[in-house]
mmCIF file with all atom_site columns, all heavy atoms in Angstrom:
data_model
loop_
_atom_site.group_PDB
_atom_site.id
_atom_site.type_symbol
_atom_site.label_atom_id
_atom_site.label_alt_id
_atom_site.label_comp_id
_atom_site.label_asym_id
_atom_site.label_entity_id
_atom_site.label_seq_id
_atom_site.pdbx_PDB_ins_code
_atom_site.Cartn_x
_atom_site.Cartn_y
_atom_site.Cartn_z
_atom_site.occupancy
_atom_site.B_iso_or_equiv
_atom_site.pdbx_formal_charge
_atom_site.auth_seq_id
_atom_site.auth_comp_id
_atom_site.auth_asym_id
_atom_site.auth_atom_id
_atom_site.pdbx_PDB_model_num
ATOM 1   N N   . PHE B 1 187 ? 56.391 -31.085 -97.764  1.00 91.00 ? 331 PHE B N   1
ATOM 2   C CA  . PHE B 1 187 ? 57.598 -31.336 -98.548  1.00 91.00 ? 331 PHE B CA  1
ATOM 3   C C   . PHE B 1 187 ? 57.998 -30.114 -99.362  1.00 91.00 ? 331 PHE B C   1
ATOM 4   O O   . PHE B 1 187 ? 59.188 -29.818 -99.504  1.00 91.00 ? 331 PHE B O   1
ATOM 5   C CB  . PHE B 1 187 ? 57.401 -32.554 -99.457  1.00 91.00 ? 331 PHE B CB  1
ATOM 6   C CG  . PHE B 1 187 ? 57.602 -33.859 -98.753  1.00 91.00 ? 331 PHE B CG  1
ATOM 7   C CD1 . PHE B 1 187 ? 56.558 -34.745 -98.595  1.00 91.00 ? 331 PHE B CD1 1
ATOM 8   C CD2 . PHE B 1 187 ? 58.844 -34.193 -98.239  1.00 91.00 ? 331 PHE B CD2 1
ATOM 9   C CE1 . PHE B 1 187 ? 56.735 -35.950 -97.933  1.00 91.00 ? 331 PHE B CE1 1
ATOM 10  C CE2 . PHE B 1 187 ? 59.027 -35.394 -97.576  1.00 91.00 ? 331 PHE B CE2 1
ATOM 11  C CZ  . PHE B 1 187 ? 57.970 -36.269 -97.422  1.00 91.00 ? 331 PHE B CZ  1
ATOM 12  N N   . THR B 1 188 ? 57.016 -29.408 -99.907  1.00 91.00 ? 332 THR B N   1
ATOM 13  C CA  . THR B 1 188 ? 57.329 -28.204 -100.687 1.00 91.00 ? 332 THR B CA  1
ATOM 14  C C   . THR B 1 188 ? 58.039 -27.180 -99.812  1.00 91.00 ? 332 THR B C   1
ATOM 15  O O   . THR B 1 188 ? 59.093 -26.640 -100.170 1.00 91.00 ? 332 THR B O   1
ATOM 16  C CB  . THR B 1 188 ? 56.032 -27.571 -101.239 1.00 91.00 ? 332 THR B CB  1
ATOM 17  O OG1 . THR B 1 188 ? 55.304 -28.553 -101.940 1.00 91.00 ? 332 THR B OG1 1
ATOM 18  C CG2 . THR B 1 188 ? 56.351 -26.414 -102.160 1.00 91.00 ? 332 THR B CG2 1
ATOM 19  N N   . ARG B 1 189 ? 57.460 -26.930 -98.633  1.00 88.00 ? 333 ARG B N   1
ATOM 20  C CA  . ARG B 1 189 ? 58.014 -25.916 -97.732  1.00 88.00 ? 333 ARG B CA  1
ATOM 21  C C   . ARG B 1 189 ? 59.448 -26.277 -97.342  1.00 88.00 ? 333 ARG B C   1
ATOM 22  O O   . ARG B 1 189 ? 60.366 -25.460 -97.398  1.00 88.00 ? 333 ARG B O   1
ATOM 23  C CB  . ARG B 1 189 ? 57.126 -25.824 -96.497  1.00 88.00 ? 333 ARG B CB  1
ATOM 24  C CG  . ARG B 1 189 ? 57.353 -24.595 -95.670  1.00 88.00 ? 333 ARG B CG  1
ATOM 25  C CD  . ARG B 1 189 ? 56.316 -24.471 -94.592  1.00 88.00 ? 333 ARG B CD  1
ATOM 26  N NE  . ARG B 1 189 ? 56.333 -25.612 -93.695  1.00 88.00 ? 333 ARG B NE  1
ATOM 27  C CZ  . ARG B 1 189 ? 55.325 -26.454 -93.547  1.00 88.00 ? 333 ARG B CZ  1
ATOM 28  N NH1 . ARG B 1 189 ? 54.224 -26.312 -94.235  1.00 88.00 ? 333 ARG B NH1 1
ATOM 29  N NH2 . ARG B 1 189 ? 55.409 -27.468 -92.695  1.00 88.00 ? 333 ARG B NH2 1
ATOM 30  N N   . LEU B 1 190 ? 59.610 -27.544 -96.997  1.00 89.00 ? 334 LEU B N   1
ATOM 31  C CA  . LEU B 1 190 ? 60.910 -28.019 -96.531  1.00 89.00 ? 334 LEU B CA  1
ATOM 32  C C   . LEU B 1 190 ? 61.954 -27.938 -97.640  1.00 89.00 ? 334 LEU B C   1
ATOM 33  O O   . LEU B 1 190 ? 63.067 -27.424 -97.434  1.00 89.00 ? 334 LEU B O   1
ATOM 34  C CB  . LEU B 1 190 ? 60.726 -29.473 -96.100  1.00 89.00 ? 334 LEU B CB  1
ATOM 35  C CG  . LEU B 1 190 ? 61.640 -30.012 -95.055  1.00 89.00 ? 334 LEU B CG  1
ATOM 36  C CD1 . LEU B 1 190 ? 61.431 -29.244 -93.779  1.00 89.00 ? 334 LEU B CD1 1
ATOM 37  C CD2 . LEU B 1 190 ? 61.319 -31.484 -94.833  1.00 89.00 ? 334 LEU B CD2 1
ATOM 38  N N   . THR B 1 191 ? 61.610 -28.448 -98.817  1.00 91.00 ? 335 THR B N   1
ATOM 39  C CA  . THR B 1 191 ? 62.567 -28.458 -99.927  1.00 91.00 ? 335 THR B CA  1
ATOM 40  C C   . THR B 1 191 ? 62.930 -27.048 -100.345 1.00 91.00 ? 335 THR B C   1
ATOM 41  O O   . THR B 1 191 ? 64.099 -26.744 -100.604 1.00 91.00 ? 335 THR B O   1
ATOM 42  C CB  . THR B 1 191 ? 61.968 -29.205 -101.137 1.00 91.00 ? 335 THR B CB  1
ATOM 43  O OG1 . THR B 1 191 ? 61.373 -30.396 -100.698 1.00 91.00 ? 335 THR B OG1 1
ATOM 44  C CG2 . THR B 1 191 ? 63.044 -29.510 -102.159 1.00 91.00 ? 335 THR B CG2 1
ATOM 45  N N   . ARG B 1 192 ? 61.923 -26.173 -100.409 1.00 89.00 ? 336 ARG B N   1
ATOM 46  C CA  . ARG B 1 192 ? 62.181 -24.808 -100.835 1.00 89.00 ? 336 ARG B CA  1
ATOM 47  C C   . ARG B 1 192 ? 63.167 -24.135 -99.881  1.00 89.00 ? 336 ARG B C   1
ATOM 48  O O   . ARG B 1 192 ? 64.164 -23.561 -100.304 1.00 89.00 ? 336 ARG B O   1
ATOM 49  C CB  . ARG B 1 192 ? 60.873 -24.018 -100.884 1.00 89.00 ? 336 ARG B CB  1
ATOM 50  C CG  . ARG B 1 192 ? 61.056 -22.580 -101.284 1.00 89.00 ? 336 ARG B CG  1
ATOM 51  C CD  . ARG B 1 192 ? 59.734 -21.843 -101.375 1.00 89.00 ? 336 ARG B CD  1
ATOM 52  N NE  . ARG B 1 192 ? 59.955 -20.436 -101.631 1.00 89.00 ? 336 ARG B NE  1
ATOM 53  C CZ  . ARG B 1 192 ? 60.194 -19.536 -100.695 1.00 89.00 ? 336 ARG B CZ  1
ATOM 54  N NH1 . ARG B 1 192 ? 60.253 -19.917 -99.424  1.00 89.00 ? 336 ARG B NH1 1
ATOM 55  N NH2 . ARG B 1 192 ? 60.399 -18.274 -100.995 1.00 89.00 ? 336 ARG B NH2 1
ATOM 56  N N   . ALA B 1 193 ? 62.876 -24.252 -98.580  1.00 88.00 ? 337 ALA B N   1
ATOM 57  C CA  . ALA B 1 193 ? 63.735 -23.594 -97.594  1.00 88.00 ? 337 ALA B CA  1
ATOM 58  C C   . ALA B 1 193 ? 65.157 -24.141 -97.662  1.00 88.00 ? 337 ALA B C   1
ATOM 59  O O   . ALA B 1 193 ? 66.133 -23.380 -97.669  1.00 88.00 ? 337 ALA B O   1
ATOM 60  C CB  . ALA B 1 193 ? 63.165 -23.789 -96.197  1.00 88.00 ? 337 ALA B CB  1
ATOM 61  N N   . SER B 1 194 ? 65.288 -25.451 -97.736  1.00 89.00 ? 338 SER B N   1
ATOM 62  C CA  . SER B 1 194 ? 66.635 -26.023 -97.687  1.00 89.00 ? 338 SER B CA  1
ATOM 63  C C   . SER B 1 194 ? 67.377 -25.752 -98.994  1.00 89.00 ? 338 SER B C   1
ATOM 64  O O   . SER B 1 194 ? 68.581 -25.508 -99.002  1.00 89.00 ? 338 SER B O   1
ATOM 65  C CB  . SER B 1 194 ? 66.544 -27.509 -97.354  1.00 89.00 ? 338 SER B CB  1
ATOM 66  O OG  . SER B 1 194 ? 66.936 -28.304 -98.401  1.00 89.00 ? 338 SER B OG  1
ATOM 67  N N   . MET B 1 195 ? 66.646 -25.734 -100.113 1.00 90.00 ? 339 MET B N   1
ATOM 68  C CA  . MET B 1 195 ? 67.260 -25.434 -101.410 1.00 90.00 ? 339 MET B CA  1
ATOM 69  C C   . MET B 1 195 ? 67.775 -23.990 -101.437 1.00 90.00 ? 339 MET B C   1
ATOM 70  O O   . MET B 1 195 ? 68.870 -23.719 -101.928 1.00 90.00 ? 339 MET B O   1
ATOM 71  C CB  . MET B 1 195 ? 66.216 -25.662 -102.503 1.00 90.00 ? 339 MET B CB  1
ATOM 72  C CG  . MET B 1 195 ? 66.756 -25.638 -103.908 1.00 90.00 ? 339 MET B CG  1
ATOM 73  S SD  . MET B 1 195 ? 67.716 -27.110 -104.280 1.00 90.00 ? 339 MET B SD  1
ATOM 74  C CE  . MET B 1 195 ? 68.366 -26.628 -105.866 1.00 90.00 ? 339 MET B CE  1
ATOM 75  N N   . LEU B 1 196 ? 66.963 -23.081 -100.889 1.00 88.00 ? 340 LEU B N   1
ATOM 76  C CA  . LEU B 1 196 ? 67.387 -21.671 -100.859 1.00 88.00 ? 340 LEU B CA  1
ATOM 77  C C   . LEU B 1 196 ? 68.677 -21.521 -100.069 1.00 88.00 ? 340 LEU B C   1
ATOM 78  O O   . LEU B 1 196 ? 69.585 -20.788 -100.455 1.00 88.00 ? 340 LEU B O   1
ATOM 79  C CB  . LEU B 1 196 ? 66.295 -20.805 -100.213 1.00 88.00 ? 340 LEU B CB  1
ATOM 80  C CG  . LEU B 1 196 ? 65.124 -20.414 -101.108 1.00 88.00 ? 340 LEU B CG  1
ATOM 81  C CD1 . LEU B 1 196 ? 64.097 -19.617 -100.319 1.00 88.00 ? 340 LEU B CD1 1
ATOM 82  C CD2 . LEU B 1 196 ? 65.607 -19.621 -102.303 1.00 88.00 ? 340 LEU B CD2 1
ATOM 83  N N   . GLU B 1 197 ? 68.749 -22.255 -98.954  1.00 87.00 ? 341 GLU B N   1
ATOM 84  C CA  . GLU B 1 197 ? 69.938 -22.168 -98.122  1.00 87.00 ? 341 GLU B CA  1
ATOM 85  C C   . GLU B 1 197 ? 71.152 -22.738 -98.845  1.00 87.00 ? 341 GLU B C   1
ATOM 86  O O   . GLU B 1 197 ? 72.234 -22.148 -98.851  1.00 87.00 ? 341 GLU B O   1
ATOM 87  C CB  . GLU B 1 197 ? 69.679 -22.937 -96.824  1.00 87.00 ? 341 GLU B CB  1
ATOM 88  C CG  . GLU B 1 197 ? 70.499 -22.446 -95.665  1.00 87.00 ? 341 GLU B CG  1
ATOM 89  C CD  . GLU B 1 197 ? 70.151 -23.233 -94.423  1.00 87.00 ? 341 GLU B CD  1
ATOM 90  O OE1 . GLU B 1 197 ? 68.960 -23.316 -94.093  1.00 87.00 ? 341 GLU B OE1 1
ATOM 91  O OE2 . GLU B 1 197 ? 71.077 -23.770 -93.804  1.00 87.00 ? 341 GLU B OE2 1
ATOM 92  N N   . VAL B 1 198 ? 70.952 -23.897 -99.479  1.00 89.00 ? 342 VAL B N   1
ATOM 93  C CA  . VAL B 1 198 ? 72.058 -24.559 -100.170 1.00 89.00 ? 342 VAL B CA  1
ATOM 94  C C   . VAL B 1 198 ? 72.566 -23.698 -101.325 1.00 89.00 ? 342 VAL B C   1
ATOM 95  O O   . VAL B 1 198 ? 73.770 -23.591 -101.552 1.00 89.00 ? 342 VAL B O   1
ATOM 96  C CB  . VAL B 1 198 ? 71.609 -25.948 -100.672 1.00 89.00 ? 342 VAL B CB  1
ATOM 97  C CG1 . VAL B 1 198 ? 72.612 -26.507 -101.652 1.00 89.00 ? 342 VAL B CG1 1
ATOM 98  C CG2 . VAL B 1 198 ? 71.439 -26.886 -99.501  1.00 89.00 ? 342 VAL B CG2 1
ATOM 99  N N   . LEU B 1 199 ? 71.644 -23.079 -102.043 1.00 88.00 ? 343 LEU B N   1
ATOM 100 C CA  . LEU B 1 199 ? 72.060 -22.282 -103.205 1.00 88.00 ? 343 LEU B CA  1
ATOM 101 C C   . LEU B 1 199 ? 72.961 -21.121 -102.805 1.00 88.00 ? 343 LEU B C   1
ATOM 102 O O   . LEU B 1 199 ? 73.744 -20.630 -103.604 1.00 88.00 ? 343 LEU B O   1
ATOM 103 C CB  . LEU B 1 199 ? 70.825 -21.743 -103.943 1.00 88.00 ? 343 LEU B CB  1
ATOM 104 C CG  . LEU B 1 199 ? 70.081 -22.765 -104.800 1.00 88.00 ? 343 LEU B CG  1
ATOM 105 C CD1 . LEU B 1 199 ? 68.837 -22.150 -105.409 1.00 88.00 ? 343 LEU B CD1 1
ATOM 106 C CD2 . LEU B 1 199 ? 70.973 -23.321 -105.890 1.00 88.00 ? 343 LEU B CD2 1
ATOM 107 N N   . ARG B 1 200 ? 72.824 -20.668 -101.547 1.00 88.00 ? 344 ARG B N   1
ATOM 108 C CA  . ARG B 1 200 ? 73.662 -19.560 -101.082 1.00 88.00 ? 344 ARG B CA  1
ATOM 109 C C   . ARG B 1 200 ? 74.977 -20.050 -100.476 1.00 88.00 ? 344 ARG B C   1
ATOM 110 O O   . ARG B 1 200 ? 75.786 -19.245 -100.040 1.00 88.00 ? 344 ARG B O   1
ATOM 111 C CB  . ARG B 1 200 ? 72.917 -18.750 -100.023 1.00 88.00 ? 344 ARG B CB  1
ATOM 112 C CG  . ARG B 1 200 ? 71.827 -17.884 -100.596 1.00 88.00 ? 344 ARG B CG  1
ATOM 113 C CD  . ARG B 1 200 ? 71.387 -16.853 -99.575  1.00 88.00 ? 344 ARG B CD  1
ATOM 114 N NE  . ARG B 1 200 ? 69.981 -16.531 -99.796  1.00 88.00 ? 344 ARG B NE  1
ATOM 115 C CZ  . ARG B 1 200 ? 68.994 -16.916 -98.996  1.00 88.00 ? 344 ARG B CZ  1
ATOM 116 N NH1 . ARG B 1 200 ? 69.261 -17.587 -97.904  1.00 88.00 ? 344 ARG B NH1 1
ATOM 117 N NH2 . ARG B 1 200 ? 67.753 -16.598 -99.279  1.00 88.00 ? 344 ARG B NH2 1
ATOM 118 N N   . SER B 1 201 ? 75.170 -21.369 -100.414 1.00 88.00 ? 345 SER B N   1
ATOM 119 C CA  . SER B 1 201 ? 76.317 -21.872 -99.658  1.00 88.00 ? 345 SER B CA  1
ATOM 120 C C   . SER B 1 201 ? 77.595 -21.804 -100.485 1.00 88.00 ? 345 SER B C   1
ATOM 121 O O   . SER B 1 201 ? 77.579 -21.647 -101.707 1.00 88.00 ? 345 SER B O   1
ATOM 122 C CB  . SER B 1 201 ? 76.058 -23.304 -99.215  1.00 88.00 ? 345 SER B CB  1
ATOM 123 O OG  . SER B 1 201 ? 75.977 -24.108 -100.366 1.00 88.00 ? 345 SER B OG  1
ATOM 124 N N   . ASN B 1 202 ? 78.700 -21.970 -99.792  1.00 90.00 ? 346 ASN B N   1
ATOM 125 C CA  . ASN B 1 202 ? 80.006 -21.820 -100.429 1.00 90.00 ? 346 ASN B CA  1
ATOM 126 C C   . ASN B 1 202 ? 80.269 -22.882 -101.486 1.00 90.00 ? 346 ASN B C   1
ATOM 127 O O   . ASN B 1 202 ? 80.848 -22.599 -102.527 1.00 90.00 ? 346 ASN B O   1
ATOM 128 C CB  . ASN B 1 202 ? 81.107 -21.885 -99.368  1.00 90.00 ? 346 ASN B CB  1
ATOM 129 C CG  . ASN B 1 202 ? 81.096 -20.625 -98.519  1.00 90.00 ? 346 ASN B CG  1
ATOM 130 O OD1 . ASN B 1 202 ? 80.580 -19.600 -98.958  1.00 90.00 ? 346 ASN B OD1 1
ATOM 131 N ND2 . ASN B 1 202 ? 81.641 -20.716 -97.324  1.00 90.00 ? 346 ASN B ND2 1
ATOM 132 N N   . PHE B 1 203 ? 79.868 -24.131 -101.199 1.00 90.00 ? 347 PHE B N   1
ATOM 133 C CA  . PHE B 1 203 ? 80.253 -25.168 -102.165 1.00 90.00 ? 347 PHE B CA  1
ATOM 134 C C   . PHE B 1 203 ? 79.529 -25.019 -103.494 1.00 90.00 ? 347 PHE B C   1
ATOM 135 O O   . PHE B 1 203 ? 80.059 -25.383 -104.537 1.00 90.00 ? 347 PHE B O   1
ATOM 136 C CB  . PHE B 1 203 ? 80.085 -26.577 -101.575 1.00 90.00 ? 347 PHE B CB  1
ATOM 137 C CG  . PHE B 1 203 ? 78.677 -26.999 -101.293 1.00 90.00 ? 347 PHE B CG  1
ATOM 138 C CD1 . PHE B 1 203 ? 77.917 -27.592 -102.283 1.00 90.00 ? 347 PHE B CD1 1
ATOM 139 C CD2 . PHE B 1 203 ? 78.122 -26.808 -100.043 1.00 90.00 ? 347 PHE B CD2 1
ATOM 140 C CE1 . PHE B 1 203 ? 76.612 -27.995 -102.025 1.00 90.00 ? 347 PHE B CE1 1
ATOM 141 C CE2 . PHE B 1 203 ? 76.829 -27.209 -99.779  1.00 90.00 ? 347 PHE B CE2 1
ATOM 142 C CZ  . PHE B 1 203 ? 76.069 -27.792 -100.767 1.00 90.00 ? 347 PHE B CZ  1
#
Side-chain angles (χ1 to χ4, degrees):
Chain B
F331 279 115
T332 307
R333 195 172 60 243
L334 207 63
T335 315
R336 179 178 174 275
S338 113
M339 191 73 188
L340 280 177
E341 206 178 307
V342 167
L343 284 176
R344 286 195 210 108
S345 65
N346 289 338
F347 67 87

